[in-house]
Amino acid sequence: MSSNLALLFHIAWRHLVVRRRQTAVAIGGVAVGVGFFLAVSALMVGSQNDFIKTLISAAPHIIIYDELRSPPPQPGVRIYGGADAAVALHGYKLRNEVRGIKDWQAILRTVNDTPGAIGSPSLSGAVTLRLGGREEPLGIVGIEPGLESKVSDVADKLRAGSLDDLERAQGGVIVGEELARRLGLNMGDIVNATAASGTTKPLRIVGLVKKGNTMIGQSSGYMLLREAQSLLARPFIINRIGVRLTDAYAADDVAHALESRYAYKAESWQERSSDFLSFLVTRNVIMYAVVSAILLVASFGIYTAVSNSVADKRRDIAILRSMGFSQGDLQLVFVFEGLALAMAGVVVGWVLGTALMEALGSLKFPVSGEDQRIPLDRSTRQYLIAAVASLLSGGIAAWLPARKAARVDPVDILRGAI
Amino acid sequence: MSSPGASPPVLACTGLGRTLPADPPVTLVRDVDLAIQPGKFTAIVGPSGCGKSSLLYLLGLIDRPTAGQLLLDGRDLTPLSGDERAAIRLEHFGFVFQFHFLLPEFNALENVALPIRRLGRLHGAAVEARARELLGEVGLAGKELKSPDKLSGGERQRVAIARALANDPRLILGDEPTGNLDSVNSARVVDLFVALAHQQGRAVVCVTHDMGIAERADVRVEMLDGRVVAVKAQ
Ligand SMILES: Nc1ncnc2c1ncn2[C@@H]1O[C@H](COP(=O)(O)OP(=O)(O)O)[C@@H](O)[C@H]1O
Ligand SMILES: [Mg+2]
């Protein structure tokens, strides 16, 4: 049986070898499709992985805020009833919740007791920097350097200084390098900061955050937690807890558990970037649509080549049938033609795609003074997907005209020979 | 039909007919009773368009009859499927047509090897040896590796005969096999056919309108308007 398949493939092979130009065009079509699929998907998957890595590592996996998702009913409404009450209340004075996370030590303990989780409390608030006649708003984040460095990658994003330097200098602050440049500040310089409460303190620049490729805003400044609490006049208060997990993808579940236990809004990185993640899905759909279109066009080439071959070979089909080849044999001959074209196209396309990826991978472009390379994902999975999709579409494209070959009636050909 | 004392027929038909489903229907062959003997050279003769080729396609299992029965070694072939008929053609029948019908992508040796490889009884070097032997028998030793377009008309037809003989068939069917050849090549082909019947004991059936060939046949089947009007042993 297998020697019969070898014979049928031999016949198919000879047909292709003789029709060089048509064969080359069909192979070229598949090769271009496969090559571009590999290059495009390496780009798309590579940049997607890069984005997600940034999303996951740039900020804590979960941030617990001093907010409630649905504010509790005001005391007046709680006591006198809601919409169906006998008395409707209008225009009464609303009670403001005191901002800050209550019992935050208990929440932090729960976080740290969760396997694979670690928490870092922080207080954020706004101050105004004054230098000469200029004023510049600054979002202050008070942190415990030892904890914060375990929860976010801010420590890796410093151009100068380190988080520990905050402990060494009275009033130490780490600001974005862009902001420092705008204000003409250098390392070690002192600038006055005024909080909304009216407190003013001199701050000393002990570190600079790199700009670009980071989620840390250029208008934020990092201080020691207790110094921020004193500057913002909120002693012992924190309003955020950042959480890092060993398994970043557990963030949604852990955040949900924390929120349902303590009511404070606990936002996972997935929730924070849900718009972006759904954008990635759309992007993938577009990519696969484009790639399917390329493969479809490539299979048109195979369809044309095999159709023409069947039309040219009607005489040979008739003689093979009269000799004792079956209808199935002849159908296989032409399906083999299509598969051989697809296979050759896949191999050439792999080479082409690899070359394209090499070319893309060797490109360097400067981002904020550093050479960046395009992130590429060169997984064998993409090679296999391209091969399977091409062989499948090539097989179908060849099978359609091959059925015609099987239906050729040798009597018609023999009667009307030449 | 068969002359007294002849061996049993290898192929026989009774009431064989072929009607094309047109409007009105066209009958190509009607009510043919024939017995083809092994070791005999049978010629089918008759005016152009009388249905000789149509009858040969029926006898060779290339076309299906719409009436009657066809028996190979006494076994009824009419109910067989297309694949079963193909398998019988492969093993028991060899065809030679007016045009050689060699596959242009294959050389002489490869063309002859095609049916041997399809049958699958011989493998590798044995296939090639058998194909060489056959080409030698038809006088083409030394031309095995030539492609069909490098051979003369007579040589091509002899490659086609070698191919027809490839699986050692019991029946050789020819449809005007000399129709395209000059008299010298034509005579060589006829000599070959006579030898295949008389020396190798095969049944040879040949459609022809060349009276010279018909003279040399053992049995002459005369046709007119789709019917067999006379069967003459000579
Ligand atoms: N497909 C067809 N439709 C109509 N008539 C046909 C068809 N095929 C053959 N014929 C006719 O059938 C008759 C027999 O043809 P054929 O067997 O080739 O005759 P021969 O071989 O004796 O010359 C001819 O008259 C031919 O024109
Ligand atoms: Mg004819």
Side-chain angles (χ1 to χ4, degrees):
Chain A
M1 196 61 226
S2 66
S3 77
N4 186 34
L5 293 185
L7 170 61
L8 301 179
F9 189 81
H10 188 196
I11 297 173
W13 181 257
R14 285 293 171 90
H15 287 172
L16 295 176
V17 170
V18 168
R19 304 161 65 84
R20 267 168 230 280
R21 211 169 41 165
Q22 194 134 33
T23 299
V25 169
I27 290 175
V30 176
V32 168
V34 168
F36 276 85
F37 169 80
L38 289 178
V40 169
S41 66
L43 267 177
M44 299 289 260
V45 176
S47 60
Q48 172 173 330
N49 291 347
D50 200 55
F51 287 148
I52 291 180
K53 213 172 80 197
T54 310
L55 280 182
I56 291 177
S57 63
H61 295 161
I62 300 170
I63 298 174
I64 304 171
Y65 295 94
D66 60 337
E67 297 166 21
L68 307 174
R69 265 185 222 268
S70 41
Q74 289 290 322
V77 176
R78 212 158 54 215
I79 295 162
Y80 296 107
D84 54 349
V87 191
L89 297 171
H90 288 291
Y92 63 95
K93 198 168 184 223
L94 296 178
R95 197 185 109 188
N96 272 314
E97 296 285 334
V98 178
R99 293 291 225 162
I101 297 175
K102 283 183 265 180
D103 279 341
W104 61 268
Q105 286 90 347
I107 301 178
L108 192 61
R109 259 197 311 278
T110 306
V111 166
N112 288 333
D113 287 347
T114 308
I118 183 156
S120 165
S122 62
L123 173 68
S124 54
V127 299
T128 306
L129 298 182
R130 282 177 220 279
L131 192 73
R134 296 189 58 183
E135 297 191 349
E136 191 84 34
L138 181 71
I140 281 293
V141 184
I143 56 167
E144 304 270 19
L147 289 177
E148 186 65 18
S149 59
K150 288 181 188 147
V151 163
S152 80
D153 65 349
V154 61
D156 305 330
K157 302 287 184 186
L158 296 184
R159 169 81 63 214
S162 76
L163 287 187
D164 293 339
D165 292 340
L166 292 174
E167 313 251 29
R168 292 192 197 109
Q170 177 76 22
V173 68
I174 297 173
V175 297
E177 62 177 339
E178 189 72 352
L179 177 80
R181 201 180 52 76
R182 222 166 37 235
L183 291 174
L185 290 169
N186 292 311
M187 290 284 286
D189 287 354
I190 294 189
V191 59
N192 278 323
T194 305
S197 59
T199 322
T200 296
K201 279 197 173 176
L203 300 183
R204 179 191 292 273
I205 311 287
V206 297
L208 295 172
V209 180
K210 282 185 222 171
K211 73 174 159 89
N213 199 19
T214 163
M215 308 269 268
I216 303 157
Q218 279 293 306
S219 54
S220 319
Y222 288 88
M223 296 179 66
L224 278 189
L225 179 57
R226 68 187 131 75
E227 290 186 346
Q229 285 168 334
S230 130
L231 175 60
L232 297 169
R234 319 263 313 262
F236 309 113
I237 288 180
I238 65 116
N239 57 7
R240 273 186 205 176
I241 299 174
V243 181
R244 184 152 199 110
L245 303 170
T246 34
D247 173 18
Y249 287 88
D252 258 340
D253 292 342
V254 174
H256 191 257
L258 288 170
E259 182 163 334
S260 54
R261 176 153 176 198
Y262 293 105
Y264 286 113
K265 178 176 163 187
E267 195 180 49
S268 65
W269 67 268
Q270 289 106 318
E271 185 188 349
R272 193 191 319 139
S273 30
S274 61
D275 284 354
F276 190 69
L277 292 176
S278 65
F279 161 69
L280 287 181
V281 172
T282 315
R283 216 172 73 123
N284 281 334
V285 169
I286 293 172
M287 172 181 89
Y288 282 107
V290 168
V291 165
S292 317
I294 295 176
L295 285 177
L296 193 68
V297 171
S299 58
F300 284 156
I302 290 183
Y303 177 87
T304 311
V306 176
S307 281
N308 289 344
S309 185
V310 169
D312 278 8
K313 293 294 170 200
R314 288 168 59 84
R315 254 176 47 125
D316 297 18
I317 293 168
I319 191 64
L320 286 168
R321 295 270 286 114
S322 72
M323 222 185 266
F325 284 68
S326 69
Q327 288 188 298
D329 289 339
L330 281 143
Q331 187 161 339
L332 266 181
V333 164
F334 292 93
V335 168
F336 280 162
E337 284 188 26
L339 288 179
L341 290 172
M343 201 113 67
V346 164
V347 171
V348 178
W350 278 353
V351 174
L352 182 68
T354 308
L356 281 172
M357 283 191 260
E358 284 305 315
L360 285 171
S362 68
L363 289 180
K364 283 182 224 160
F365 52 93
V367 170
S368 55
E370 282 172 53
D371 271 349
Q372 297 268 348
R373 286 179 190 276
I374 300 174
L376 290 173
D377 179 71
R378 299 168 212 235
S379 67
T380 42
R381 215 188 81 208
Q382 304 299 332
Y383 283 78
L384 289 179
I385 289 176
V388 169
S390 303
L391 287 177
L392 211 65
S393 59
I396 292 169
W399 176 72
L400 296 171
R403 285 181 314 164
K404 265 191 246 160
R407 282 200 296 259
V408 167
D409 184 352
V411 175
D412 291 341
I413 310 295
L414 295 174
R415 250 189 234 291
I418 311 180
Chain B
M1 284 168 291
S2 54
S3 43
S7 45
V10 53
L11 190 69
C13 62
T14 51
L16 201 66
R18 176 72 166 108
T19 302
L20 295 175
D23 193 28
V26 182
T27 298
L28 309 177
V29 174
R30 68 182 83 218
D31 206 22
V32 169
D33 297 345
L34 263 185
I36 308 295
Q37 305 292 342
K40 294 269 168 71
F41 180 10
T42 304
I44 302 177
V45 297
S48 181
C50 71
K52 304 184 293 294
S53 298
S54 302
L55 176 60
L56 194 80
Y57 300 151
L58 292 174
L59 294 176
L61 302 191
I62 296 175
D63 200 6
R64 269 180 189 278
T66 49
Q69 269 196 324
L70 187 63
L71 306 157
L72 181 72
D73 296 323
R75 173 184 172 215
D76 186 8
L77 301 179
T78 28
L80 295 188
S81 74
D83 282 358
E84 288 166 324
R85 291 150 57 86
I88 290 176
R89 289 200 295 274
L90 183 66
E91 197 176 346
H92 299 294
F93 290 69
F95 295 94
V96 185
F97 300 100
Q98 178 172 0
F99 302 97
H100 58 84
F101 282 132
L102 297 179
L103 301 198
E105 300 86 8
F106 291 89
N107 65 30
L109 192 74
E110 290 168 331
N111 264 287
V112 175
L114 283 171
I116 306 174
R117 293 172 65 189
R118 180 62 188 83
L119 188 62
R121 294 213 179 119
L122 299 180
H123 298 279
V127 173
E128 194 186 319
R130 169 80 180 136
R132 277 183 190 280
E133 178 194 331
L134 288 161
L135 284 171
E137 277 175 30
V138 297
L140 286 175
K143 307 217 163 160
E144 291 90 349
L145 302 184
K146 296 220 169 200
S147 84
D149 59 356
K150 297 282 187 304
L151 295 170
S152 73
E155 288 170 334
R156 284 179 214 159
Q157 197 61 308
R158 279 185 278 150
V159 176
I161 292 169
R163 184 179 62 187
L165 295 171
N167 287 331
D168 198 14
R170 300 160 64 204
L171 282 126
I172 310 286
L173 305 182
D175 190 358
E176 314 216 16
T178 60
N180 237 14
L181 300 179
D182 58 46
S183 55
V184 176
N185 276 304
S186 187
R188 287 178 76 161
V189 167
V190 176
D191 289 344
L192 204 59
F193 275 30
V194 170
L196 288 174
H198 294 171
Q199 286 161 32
Q200 300 185 5
R202 300 177 209 269
V204 178
V205 181
C206 209
V207 165
T208 184
H209 55 234
D210 179 336
M211 278 309 139
I213 297 175
E215 306 274 87
R216 295 189 57 189
D218 303 311
V219 179
R220 188 154 71 173
V221 176
E222 290 174 13
M223 284 188 77
L224 194 64
D225 278 342
R227 291 176 201 278
V228 170
V229 291
V231 177
K232 294 176 184 159
Q234 46 191 36

